[in-house]
Amino acid sequence: MRSALSSTVRWVLLYLLALGVVIGGWGGICALLVWVRGRPVLPTPGETFTAAWENLPVLAQAFGTSALRFLIALVVSFLLGLPLGLAIGFERRLDTFLSPLIYILYPMPPVALLLFLYLAFGLGEVVRLVVVVIALFFQVVVAAQGAAKYITPSHVAAVRSAGATRLQLYRHVVLPATLPNVLTAARVSVGLGITMLYIAETKLGVLLGPEAGLGRLIEYYTFRGDISLAGVVGLALLGLLFYALLELLERSLCRWKFVGAQRGR
Amino acid sequence: MIELAELSIAYGRGPSKVSAAEGLSLFVDSYELVAVVGPSGCGKTSVLMVLAGLLRPSQGQARIYGEEVRGIRRDVALILQDAGLLPWKTVWQNAELALRIQGQKDSRERVDEVLHQLGLTGFESRFPGELSEGMKRRVGIARALALQPRVLLMDEPMANLDSLTREHIQNLILTLWREMGFTGLLVTHDMEEAVFLGQRIAVFSPRPARVVEIVDNPGMGTVEYRGTPEFMAKVAHLREVLGGSS
């Protein structure tokens, strides 16, 4: 218990240190740009945080909207992508027929289809979600498929020899065996997801106010660099929040990965 | 009681067909413990898989207590080579797994009892990654025994263990067999292990497997048997038979 607490404290301290380095570097770049260009180009951390503080309600609302939107998109992508990916990876026949389909569609950026998505789903909330879901969905499918393909045969035999049904096989073996890889892939995909969220909120929300999401806030305050940059910081924090959430989820759902002799691996 | 009658097992079709066993017959009486030895890849494990209901023979029949094996049977348990423990389940959950899959409720006491018998009390909430190799194998045995099987199929349960741990688990299996009274079929590549644990030892030919010789081994049954001249002589005989057949 004590070691768990100390590792959490260490983790928080490391992130605070990283934050310090980022802010220091940011300040340095501001100064450098003033020196090179002869005028302020990038709002300093001080200016940005002051603007953030003065506009906290709208910023908080935009952050909340974006966070909720991203959470919904993440959950929907998991609910749709995980079963499909696991089934494609584990069932050889599905793999044969569906893998080519997935690999054709996977590299296609949903941003390139914005016009058609807009025509199909209108300019409401749904289309903003759809863009993020499409991006994350394929990430989850491909990660789950890859992990389910290489499940240790003796784990399957152990459960099958006890008379497990297909559903029990997925519940006791396929899902827990693949979860660590899927969660890692999800963590990696947070960056891509945030980019998609930004694009969806800027391109598909032109008539909305700044509280309709961080992307919209950044665009809305194009001519107020300090507030706009506060929105960018908000996006970074949003990414960090989800990264940490997925890390915590992995630590609680895949506790076995973090114990004993396997810890060092 | 296990009967293999003219059993043939084949993988694949056409030119890529591989025959794992051909016309193999073997009889194991109730409460008998029979060891199977044979060269690597001769089809020993495939025979166990047929008996466990995980593989269909291409010809012939496998019967357990007079009934043809057509799928998984509740009175048959299988111990896998590397114990087949699920790393995401604790020792207790692993030991309970087969019972849980079969929907057998009120299994808590039975699992606790088996874990106690195998010296695993106090380790119930550990994950396999925290255990030594010998302990993992014991959990694998616990999982099979929790089912209280009439027939216990063992696929090299002591493979890749250091000699001290191997002997310890061999002694344990011998004790459990005497106490619990199951019909056992033990596949091994270790001749000393076969002589220590087999009342009879079936020697398989290289692939496709068939029985080359059945060696009677009436002296087994005690820990002291290991190291006696009779034990040594049986091991030497097996070595000779296997050397000639491979």
Side-chain angles (χ1 to χ4, degrees):
Chain A
M1 192 66 201
R2 200 174 155 189
S3 76
L5 190 72
S6 73
S7 81
T8 309
V9 169
R10 215 178 117 215
W11 190 73
V12 170
L13 284 176
L14 279 172
Y15 270 86
L16 284 176
L17 180 70
L19 201 65
V21 170
V22 168
I23 291 172
W26 173 6
I29 291 170
C30 289
L32 186 71
L33 284 170
V34 169
W35 183 64
V36 172
R37 307 290 298 181
R39 59 187 166 84
V41 175
L42 191 68
T44 61
E47 287 164 352
T48 307
F49 291 131
T50 309
W53 180 251
E54 284 166 358
N55 296 277
L56 199 59
V58 70
L59 202 62
Q61 209 178 342
F63 185 90
T65 310
S66 287
L68 186 64
R69 195 171 280 145
F70 194 72
L71 181 70
I72 294 172
L74 195 66
V75 170
V76 171
S77 338
F78 257 85
L79 289 179
L80 297 175
L82 191 60
L84 182 69
L86 293 183
I88 296 177
F90 193 64
E91 312 288 341
R92 206 173 289 170
R93 265 190 209 156
L94 277 182
D95 187 25
T96 315
F97 291 112
L98 291 182
S99 277
L101 196 68
I102 295 293
Y103 288 126
I104 287 171
L105 295 175
Y106 172 53
M108 175 198 65
V111 182
L113 299 171
L114 275 184
L115 172 67
F116 306 105
L117 291 173
Y118 156 59
L119 290 173
F121 296 99
L123 206 52
E125 183 56 50
V126 177
V127 74
R128 287 191 281 276
L129 281 173
V130 167
V131 172
V132 187
V133 166
I134 293 177
L136 292 178
F137 169 79
F138 284 107
Q139 303 283 324
V140 175
V141 170
V142 172
Q145 179 210 17
K149 221 171 185 169
Y150 301 104
I151 287 177
T152 313
S154 72
H155 295 161
V156 177
V159 177
R160 276 188 66 212
S161 70
T165 61
R166 210 79 197 151
L167 199 65
Q168 286 175 319
L169 193 57
Y170 273 86
R171 187 181 156 199
H172 293 292
V173 179
V174 182
L175 184 63
T178 53
L179 208 54
N181 284 343
V182 172
L183 287 176
T184 302
R187 272 210 318 265
V188 174
S189 311
V190 164
L192 174 74
I194 297 281
T195 307
M196 289 299 166
L197 183 76
Y198 170 77
I199 292 169
E201 286 180 347
T202 51
K203 301 274 178 199
L204 300 166
V206 282
L207 300 174
L208 302 171
E211 67 288 336
L214 288 167
R216 182 66 198 126
L217 182 134
I218 293 165
E219 180 121 318
Y220 190 90
Y221 288 111
T222 306
F223 300 107
R224 272 293 304 275
D226 49 353
I227 307 179
S228 192
L229 201 58
V232 177
V233 172
L235 273 185
L237 290 177
L238 186 70
L240 180 66
L241 172 76
F242 277 92
Y243 192 86
L245 266 180
L246 287 164
E247 171 97 18
L248 285 175
L249 203 64
E250 188 179 351
R251 281 183 183 270
S252 69
L253 292 179
C254 314
R255 208 158 49 88
W256 59 277
K257 272 276 190 196
F258 302 93
V259 294
Q262 296 185 337
R263 192 183 243 164
R265 276 181 212 163
Chain B
M1 193 167 68
I2 300 169
E3 290 168 87
L4 301 172
E6 294 292 322
L7 193 78
S8 297
I9 307 166
Y11 295 97
R13 282 178 190 167
S16 61
K17 181 177 159 179
V18 175
S19 189
E22 220 166 76
L24 187 140
S25 296
L26 181 69
F27 178 80
V28 180
D29 209 351
S30 299
Y31 309 115
E32 196 180 14
L33 184 53
V34 169
V36 171
V37 289
S40 285
C42 76
K44 305 185 289 277
T45 298
S46 299
V47 171
L48 278 196
M49 292 298 152
V50 167
L51 284 166
L54 293 172
L55 189 64
R56 281 193 174 276
S58 48
Q59 268 179 359
Q61 265 196 359
R63 285 189 289 268
I64 289 178
Y65 284 94
E67 293 165 21
E68 189 181 351
V69 179
R70 289 177 183 276
I72 313 293
R73 290 173 58 106
R74 288 193 165 208
D75 57 350
V76 176
L78 174 68
I79 297 176
L80 294 158
Q81 212 172 87
D82 61 353
L85 298 186
L86 305 183
W88 43 88
K89 291 194 186 276
T90 61
V91 165
W92 202 89
Q93 290 168 330
N94 264 294
E96 187 225 20
L97 184 67
L99 285 170
R100 185 169 174 181
I101 283 170
Q102 296 188 359
Q104 299 197 34
K105 301 214 168 96
D106 303 322
S107 53
R108 175 161 281 279
E109 270 181 31
R110 207 196 289 179
V111 174
D112 286 341
E113 192 187 316
V114 169
L115 286 177
H116 176 72
Q117 256 180 315
L118 286 153
L120 290 163
T121 306
F123 292 93
E124 291 90 341
S125 55
R126 298 282 182 94
F127 287 101
E130 300 174 279
L131 303 180
S132 69
E133 204 49 49
M135 284 174 94
K136 284 185 202 169
R137 308 297 171 99
R138 279 189 275 153
V139 179
I141 297 170
R143 179 165 66 198
L145 292 182
L147 286 170
Q148 295 181 324
R150 280 206 290 180
V151 172
L152 187 62
L153 306 169
M154 295 168 271
D155 186 14
E156 303 195 24
M158 276 75 78
N160 307 318
L161 287 179
D162 63 86
S163 56
L164 205 67
T165 313
R166 187 162 58 228
E167 281 189 11
H168 176 70
I169 295 192
Q170 286 167 354
N171 296 350
L172 193 69
I173 288 181
L174 185 69
T175 312
L176 290 167
W177 170 66
R178 286 203 315 231
E179 281 175 6
M180 300 181 84
F182 47 77
T183 304
L185 193 62
L186 167 81
V187 161
T188 176
H189 62 261
D190 182 336
M191 281 166 268
E192 294 186 8
E193 185 170 294
V195 175
F196 183 71
L197 285 173
Q199 282 180 303
R200 288 184 302 140
I201 301 137
V203 184
F204 280 14
S205 66
R207 205 178 58 209
R210 58 192 169 75
V211 179
V212 178
E213 188 179 324
I214 300 245
V215 179
D216 280 315
N217 186 29
M220 70 74 78
T222 60
V223 174
E224 293 73 38
Y225 183 50
R226 197 188 276 122
T228 60
E230 189 190 347
F231 177 89
M232 297 298 188
K234 293 280 180 199
V235 173
H237 177 69
L238 273 189
R239 203 161 274 146
E240 199 179 307
V241 176
L242 271 171
S245 75
S246 56

